[in-house]
C-alpha cells in the first residue's frame, strides 16, 4: 500500500500535559478483538467464535469497557470455544518441535512462547510452572499431544488473554510497555501486537513517546488498520449488519432481495476502502464524494442518479464497479442506498429515523424518546393523496412533539426524494415529493434539498467534524467522554478541522496523545 | 475465595457428590422456591385482560383461569404502576426498570439496566446450589431486529452488565443435558470421562490462579468485574462433574426429543421456538437443573407480525400503538387480545408441566413462583395497571387466588415481593428502599 494512506506523520501534536482521564481498568476483549486474538494465537479461524451471543452496544459500539464482563453464560461460551479450538488445531505444528529437540524441552518452549503471545508479555515463573504441571498431567493421561492441547485450552481461558489490563506498575500511573503494546495493537488493528511491536515491548521501549509514535505510524500503514477503521465507520454509520436490513414485500418494496443486500454489503466495503484510500481518506472524501460502487444486482437502486446511466456494458459479470454519481443527487455516504435503506422502516421512509441518525451521529446530540402520551398512529394513518412528509408534519403542529421533532424532522424531510430502499423518487403516494429540508441548532444551519446538499453542509461543518472526533474517541477508548477529556479532545478537534487531515491521521494522533500511556487511580 | 480442587471437595463434604445434587435429593424445603419471570412486550388490551370479577376469567387469561388446577394457583395482580422516569421511552423503562427499580443508564438511545435485576440479586444472595444457578433464555427471533441491544434482555448483573439471552433451543438443550448422565455409558467410557473431568478441573485451577493474581492488582471497581468472572467459573466447575457423579437426577430429567429445523432467528419459527424453550425451561426447573429463569417472549418493543395467528401486521406499530380501550378499534382489539391470549397459552403450558412434576408433598408448581408481566400496560405506552400474573404457590407462601386489585402500587413493591417470596429479605427495591411488599397476596 502506498505510504500516503497516512498523510502527515510529522512529530504529532504537542503533549499538552493533560492529566490522564482514563482510570486504571480492565478491558475485556470485544468479540471482534477476541476473534482476532484467537485466530492470531492458533493460526486459523475458529468457527465456534461465530456463535457467541452479541455484546450490548453503547452509542452504537459493542466494546464499552463497563459493559463487557464475563458473567453467567458468557464463561461457558468462552470455555466451549477454547475446548473446540484446542481440539481442532494442529498443536504439533504450532509447537514445531525440532528433530533433535528433547520432547521435554520442546514442551517448555511451547509453553513459554505461546504464553507470551497469549498474554502479550512473558509468563512469570509461577504461571509457567502451573502450565507445566497441567501439561504433564495431561501427558500422563493422553500422551504428548494431549499435553500441548490442554496448555492451549488453558491459555485461551485465562483472564490474562481475555482482558487487556490498563493497570500500570508505578505510582505515576504509567502503563507498562507490554500494556502499551496491546493498547496500540487493538486500537489500530483490532488485534494483538505483531512480532515487531511485541519485541519493542520486550525491550521496554514503549514508555517513550517517540518510540510509541514510530510504532503507531508503522501500524497505521497496515491493511489491517485500514480494515479496522472501516469497521469503526460501519458501526458509526449504523451499518454493522447490512444483511439484517428488513423490507416488506407486502408494501410493494421490490428489488431488495437477500442477494441485493449481500451485494450492497460487499459494495459498502469497497466504498469505505475507496474513501480511505491514498488520495482520499479525508472528512470530505467520506461525506462528500460523488462516487458509488454498484453491480448488476444493485444498479437499479441508482437509476437516474449516475453520471452515465448503467447499461449491460457497464458491468462484466457480478463484479461491482466504481461509478460517478450525479453530484447534485448523490454525494457521500448518507446518499447511498445502503444508508438510506438502513435508516427507514420496513415499508416507508422515516424522516424521524434519518433525521435522528444525522443529529446523533453527526452532531453528537441525543434527544429523549417520545413522551408516554404520544402515538405514532399520527404518522401511520394513511389517507389518499398524503405523503409521508404530510403525515410527519403533524409533529411540528402538535405542541407535545414540536420541541424535539423541530430538531429532527426537517433534516429527515430533506431525504424525501429517496425512497425506503434509497432509490430516487419524484412521487410519494401519487403526489410529487418535496425534499426541502433544514438544519437548525448547528453551525451550518439553513435550508437544503436532498442528501447531496446536506453532504455539502456536513463537509464544511466544524461541529460535525468535532462530533466525529468524539465518536472515534468513544470507539477507541471503550468509554464515554468526560469533561476531563476536553483537555485532549479540543486539540484533536482543532487538528481534524484542517481539511487536509485524514481519518487515519486523527486515529494516529488520538492513539499517541500525551496521556494515552498513563492512567488515573481508580475512582 | 479459594477455588482449588481441595476446596471444592470440602464444599461437597468430600463425598464426590456435588452439593447441588445432594440438595436436590434431600427434602425440597432446603431450597427456596423456583422463580421464572416471563416478560411480554408492547402492552395488552386492557378490557379483555382483566377478569370481570375476583373469581371470574377473561378472554386473554382463559388458558390459565379456564384450567381448574392452574386457577387454584393463580393470582392476577391489577394496579401495578411503573413510575420510573429517565432515559428511553416506556419500552426501555418498562423493560429495564421493572426488575431493577432504578432508571436506565447510558444514552437515550441505549438505555440499559441501571442496577442488578431481582433475578440476579436473588442468585447473588442465595447462590442456589444447582447446575445453572440462573438461566436467561427466551425467544427473540425477529424479521426486524431490535435497534439496540438493551432491548434483548432484562436480566442484569449490575449497571450496564446485561446477561445475554440464550435464544437457541438446541444450544440450551446441549448445555442442560451436559450435566445429565447418559444411561448407556459403558464402564470404559465412564473411566475416560472421569479422566477428562480431572484434567478439566486442573485446567480450571490454573485459570482460577490467574484470576486471583489479577484480582490482587485491582481496586474495588474493577475487582467487581472479576468477581462475576470468578463466580461464573465456580458455577461451571460445579456443573462439570454432575453427569458422572449421580444417577438419581436422570429419573426426573428425561432427555426430551427436540423438534428439528428451528431457526432461532426466523420469525415464522417463533411458535415452535417458544414451545421448545418453554418445555426446556419447565424441565430444567422441575428437575433442579436451575432454580431461577428469566424469559423474554420477544424483545422489548418487538415488531412481530404474528403471521402464525393469521394477523400479519406489525404488532408494535400497527396494533399496539393504535389500540384504544373504548371499543372504537375493534379489529385491533381482537388482534391484541389474541396476541396476549397466545402468550397466556405459553405460560399455561409451562405451569402445567411444572404442575405435572411431583416435588416434595406437592408439585413443582407449588414450590415455584412464575411471574408473567409486560413492559407496558397498554399498547400506547401507558405504564399503569401493568398486566401481571403470579402463578404457583411459592412453597405455600402465596395464599390468594383470582384477581387482587390495588390502586396504583409502585412496581418496586412487585420486585420487593418477589425478593421476599424467594427468601431474600428486602424492605424495598432500587429507588424506593422502603416501599414494602404487596399486601394481600400472601
Amino acid at each position: 500500500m502506498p505510504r500516503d494512506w497516512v498523510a502527515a506523520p510529522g512529530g504529532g501534536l504537542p503533549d499538552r500535559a493533560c492529566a490522564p482521564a482514563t482510570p486504571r481498568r480492565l478491558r475485556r476483549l470485544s468479540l471482534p478483538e477476541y476473534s482476532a486474538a484467537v485466530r492470531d494465537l492458533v493460526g486459523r479461524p475458529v468457527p465456534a467464535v461465530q456463535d457467541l451471543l452479541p455484546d450490548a452496544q453503547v452509542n452504537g459500539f459493542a466494546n464499552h469497557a463497563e459493559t463487557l464482563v464475563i458473567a453467567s453464560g458468557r464463561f461457558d461460551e468462552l470455555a466451549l470455544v477454547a475446548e473446540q479450538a484446542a481440539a481442532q488445531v494442529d498443536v504439533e505444528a504450532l509447537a514445531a518441535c525440532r528433530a533433535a529437540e528433547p520432547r521435554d524441552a520442546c514442551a517448555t518452549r511451547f509453553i513459554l512462547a505461546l504464553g507470551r503471545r497469549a498474554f502479550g508479555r512473558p509468563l512469570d515463573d509461577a504461571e509457567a510452572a502451573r502450565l507445566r504441571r497441567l501439561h504433564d498431567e495431561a501427558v500422563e493421561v493422553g500422551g504428548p499431544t494431549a499435553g500441548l492441547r490442554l496448555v492451549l485450552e488453558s491459555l485461551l481461558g485465562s483472564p490474562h488473554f481475555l482482558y487487556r489490563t490498563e493497570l500500570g506498575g508505578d505510582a505515576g500511573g504509567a502503563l507498562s510497555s507490554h500494556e502499551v503494546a496491546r493498547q496500540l495493537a487493538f486500537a489500530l488493528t483490532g488485534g494483538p501486537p505483531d512480532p515487531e511491536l511485541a519485541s519493542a515491548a520486550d525491550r521496554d521501549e514503549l514508555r517513550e513517546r517517540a518510540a510509541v509514535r514510530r510504532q503507531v505510524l508503522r501500524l497505521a500503514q497496515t491493511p489491517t488498520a485500514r480494515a479496522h477503521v472501516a469497521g469503526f465507520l460501519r458501526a458509526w454509520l449504523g451499518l454493522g449488519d447490512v444483511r439484517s436490513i428488513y423490507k416488506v414485500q407486502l408494501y410493494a418494496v421490490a428489488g431488495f432481495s437477500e442477494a441485493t443486500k449481500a451485494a450492497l454489503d460487499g459494495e459498502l466495503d469497497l466504498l469505505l476502502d475507496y474513501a480511505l484510500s491514498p488520495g482520499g481518506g479525508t472528512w470530505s472524501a467520506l461525506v462528500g464524494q460523488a462516487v458509488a460502487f454498484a453491480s448488476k444486482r444493485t444498479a437499479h437502486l441508482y437509476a437516474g442518479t449516475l453520471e452515465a446511466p448503467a447499461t449491460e456494458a457497464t458491468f462484466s459479470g457480478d463484479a461491482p464497479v466504481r461509478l460517478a454519481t450525479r453530484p447534485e443527487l448523490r454525494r457521500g455516504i448518507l446518499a447511498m442506498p445502503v444508508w438510506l435503506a438502513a435508516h427507514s422502516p420496513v415499508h416507508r421512509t422515516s424522516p424521524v429515523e434519518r433525521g435522528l441518525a444525522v443529529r446523533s451521529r453527526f452532531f453528537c446530540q441525543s434527544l429523549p424518546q417520545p413522551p408516554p402520551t404520544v402515538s405514532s398512529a399520527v404518522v401511520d394513518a394513511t389517507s389518499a393523496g398524503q405523503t409521508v412528509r404530510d403525515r410527519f408534519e403533524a409533529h411540528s403542529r402538535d405542541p407535545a412533539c414540536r420541541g424535539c421533532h423541530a430538531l429532527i424532522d426537517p433534516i429527515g424531510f430533506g431525504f424525501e426524494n429517496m425512497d425506503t430502499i434509497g432509490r430516487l423518487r419524484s412521487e410519494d403516494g401519487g403526489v410529487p415529493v418535496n425534499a426541502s429540508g433544514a438544519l437548525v441548532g448547528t453551525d451550518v444551519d439553513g435550508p437544503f434539498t436532498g442528501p447531496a446538499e446536506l453532504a455539502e453542509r456536513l463537509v464544511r461543518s466544524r461541529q460535525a467534524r468535532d462530533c466525529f472526533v468524539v465518536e472515534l474517541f468513544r470507539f477507541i477508548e471503550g468509554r464515554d467522554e468526560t469533561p476531563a477529556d476536553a483537555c485532549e479532545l479540543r486539540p484533536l478537534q482543532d487538528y481534524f478541522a484542517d481539511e487536509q487531515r485524514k481519518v487515519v491521521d486523527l486515529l494516529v494522533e488520538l492513539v499517541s496523545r500525551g496521556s494515552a500511556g498513563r492512567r488515573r487511580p481508580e475512582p | 475465595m479459594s477455588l482449588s480442587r481441595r476446596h471444592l471437595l470440602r464444599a461437597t463434604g468430600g463425598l464426590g457428590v456435588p452439593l447441588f445434587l445432594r440438595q436436590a435429593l434431600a427434602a425440597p424445603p432446603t431450597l427456596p422456591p423456583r422463580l421464572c419471570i416471563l416478560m411480554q412486550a408492547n402492552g395488552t388490551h386492557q378490557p379483555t385482560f382483566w377478569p370481570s370479577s375476583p373469581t371470574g376469567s377473561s378472554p386473554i387469561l382463559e388458558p390459565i383461569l379456564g384450567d381448574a388446577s392452574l386457577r387454584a394457583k393463580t393470582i392476577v395482580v391489577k394496579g401495578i404502576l411503573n413510575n420510573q422516569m429517565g432515559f428511553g421511552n416506556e419500552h426501555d423503562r418498562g423493560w429495564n426498570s421493572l426488575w431493577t427499580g432504578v432508571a436506565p443508564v447510558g444514552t437515550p438511545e441505549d438505555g440499559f439496566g441501571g442496577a442488578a435485576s431481582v433475578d440476579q440479586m436473588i442468585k447473588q444472595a442465595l447462590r442456589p446450589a444447582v447446575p445453572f444457578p440462573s438461566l436467561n433464555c427466551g425467544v427473540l427471533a425477529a424479521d426486524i431486529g431490535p435497534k439496540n441491544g438493551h432491548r434483548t434482555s432484562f436480566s442484569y448483573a449490575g449497571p450496564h452488565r446485561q446477561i445475554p439471552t440464550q435464544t437457541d433451543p438446541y444450544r440450551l438443550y446441549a448445555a442442560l443435558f451436559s450435566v445429565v448422565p447418559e444411561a448407556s455409558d459403558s464402564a470404559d467410557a465412564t473411566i475416560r470421562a472421569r479422566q477428562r473431568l480431572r484434567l478439566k478441573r486442573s485446567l480450571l485451577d490454573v485459570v482460577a490462579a490467574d484470576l486471583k493474581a489479577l484480582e490482587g492488582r485491582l481496586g474495588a471497581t474493577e475487582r467487581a468485574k472479576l468477581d462475576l468472572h470468578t463466580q461464573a467459573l465456580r458455577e461451571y466447575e460445579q456443573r462439570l462433574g454432575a453427569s458422572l457423579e449421580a444417577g438419581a437426577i436422570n429419573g426426573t430429567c428425561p432427555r426430551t426429543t427436540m423438534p428439528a429445523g428451528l431457526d432461532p432467528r426466523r420469525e415464522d419459527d417463533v411458535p415452535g421456538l417458544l414451545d421448545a424453550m418453554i418445555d426446556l425451561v419447565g424441565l430444567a426447573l422441575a428437575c433442579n437443573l436451575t432454580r431461577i429463569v428469566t424469559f423474554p417472549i420477544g424483545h422489548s418493543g418487538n415488531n412481530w407480525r404474528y403471521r402464525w395467528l393469521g394477523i400479519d401486521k406489525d404488532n408494535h406499530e400497527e396494533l399496539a400503538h393504535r389500540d384504544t380501550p373504548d371499543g372504537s378499534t375493534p379489529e385491533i382489539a381482537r388482534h391484541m387480545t389474541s396476541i396476549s391470549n397466545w402468550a397466556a397459552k405459553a405460560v399455561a403450558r409451562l405451569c402445567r408441566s411444572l404442575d405435572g412434576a411431583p416435588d416434595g408433598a406437592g408439585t413443582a408448581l407449588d414450590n415455584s413462583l412464575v411471574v408473567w408481566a409486560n413492559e407496558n400496560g397498554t399498547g400506547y405506552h401507558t405504564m399503569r395497571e401493568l398486566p401481571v400474573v403470579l402463578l404457583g404457590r411459592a412453597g405455600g407462601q402465596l395464599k390468594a387466588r383470582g384477581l387482587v386489585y390495588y390502586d396504583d402500587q409502585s412496581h418496586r413493591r412487585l420486585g420487593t415481593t418477589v425478593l421476599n417470596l424467594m427468601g431474600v429479605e428486602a424492605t424495598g427495591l432500587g429507588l424506593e428502599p422502603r416501599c414494602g411488599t404487596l399486601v394481600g397476596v400472601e
Side-chain angles (χ1 to χ4, degrees), chain B residues 164-216:
Chain B
T165 302
Q166 176 57 268
T167 59
D168 185 334
Y170 304 109
R171 291 173 75 189
L172 181 61
Y173 178 95
L176 288 175
F177 285 104
S178 73
V179 300
V180 178
E182 294 273 15
S184 59
D185 278 354
S186 68
D188 249 20
T190 306
I191 290 167
R192 280 197 302 278
R194 281 183 190 282
Q195 286 174 338
R196 278 201 303 273
L197 175 65
R198 189 165 63 85
L199 288 178
K200 189 72 102 176
R201 283 184 171 151
S202 297
L203 180 147
L204 291 175
D205 285 348
V206 172
V207 172
D210 285 352
L211 275 168
K212 206 170 164 55
L214 191 51
E215 203 177 8

Side-chain angles (χ1 to χ4, degrees), chain A residues 29 34-43 46 49 70 75 77-87 89 91 94 114-115 118-119 131 149-163, chain B residues 203 207 210 229:
Chain A
L29 302 186
Y34 171 75
S35 173
V38 172
R39 196 174 54 233
D40 178 76
L41 192 65
V42 306
V46 175
V49 171
I70 299 176
F75 183 94
E77 284 189 319
L78 296 174
L80 187 67
V81 173
E83 190 178 295
Q84 291 186 354
V89 167
V91 280
L94 210 55
L114 203 68
F119 295 179
L131 285 168
R149 284 198 197 289
L150 206 63
V151 167
L152 174 59
E153 185 179 341
S154 176
L155 289 172
L156 287 169
S158 170
H160 300 306
F161 174 71
L162 297 168
Y163 298 90
Chain B
L203 180 147
V207 172
D210 285 352
H229 192 155

Side-chain angles (χ1 to χ4, degrees), chain B residues 357-380:
Chain B
D359 190 44
T363 72
L365 185 62
D366 295 330
N367 294 316
S368 298
L369 171 63
V370 176
V371 185
W372 173 35
N374 198 309
E375 60 184 13
N376 284 182
T378 65
Y380 40 96

Side-chain angles (χ1 to χ4, degrees), chain A residues 214-232:
Chain A
R214 275 196 303 279
Q215 292 291 339
V216 169
L217 287 169
R218 182 182 66 80
L219 288 170
Q221 303 288 353
T222 61
T224 331
R226 198 147 131 187
H228 183 56
V229 172
F232 154 72

Side-chain angles (χ1 to χ4, degrees), chain B residues 243-291:
Chain B
S243 67
L244 292 170
E245 304 291 6
I249 205 168
N250 205 20
T252 52
C253 250
R255 277 169 198 272
T256 50
T257 313
M258 293 284 286
L262 294 171
D263 180 345
R265 285 152 302 186
R266 193 163 60 217
E267 184 166 316
D268 282 336
D269 281 0
V270 165
L273 288 165
L274 185 61
D275 283 352
M277 280 298 206
I278 285 281
D279 290 351
L280 282 175
V281 163
L283 197 67
L285 282 167
C287 59
N288 295 340
L289 293 176
T290 186
R291 300 286 293 195

Side-chain angles (χ1 to χ4, degrees), chain A residues 76 83 153 353 380 522, chain B residues 147 200 219 222 239 322:
Chain A
D76 299 37
E83 190 178 295
E153 185 179 341
E353 256 189 83
D380 267 326
E522 273 182 61
Chain B
K147 285 236 147 173
K200 189 72 102 176
E222 294 301 281
R239 281 196 285 278
R322 302 183 191 192

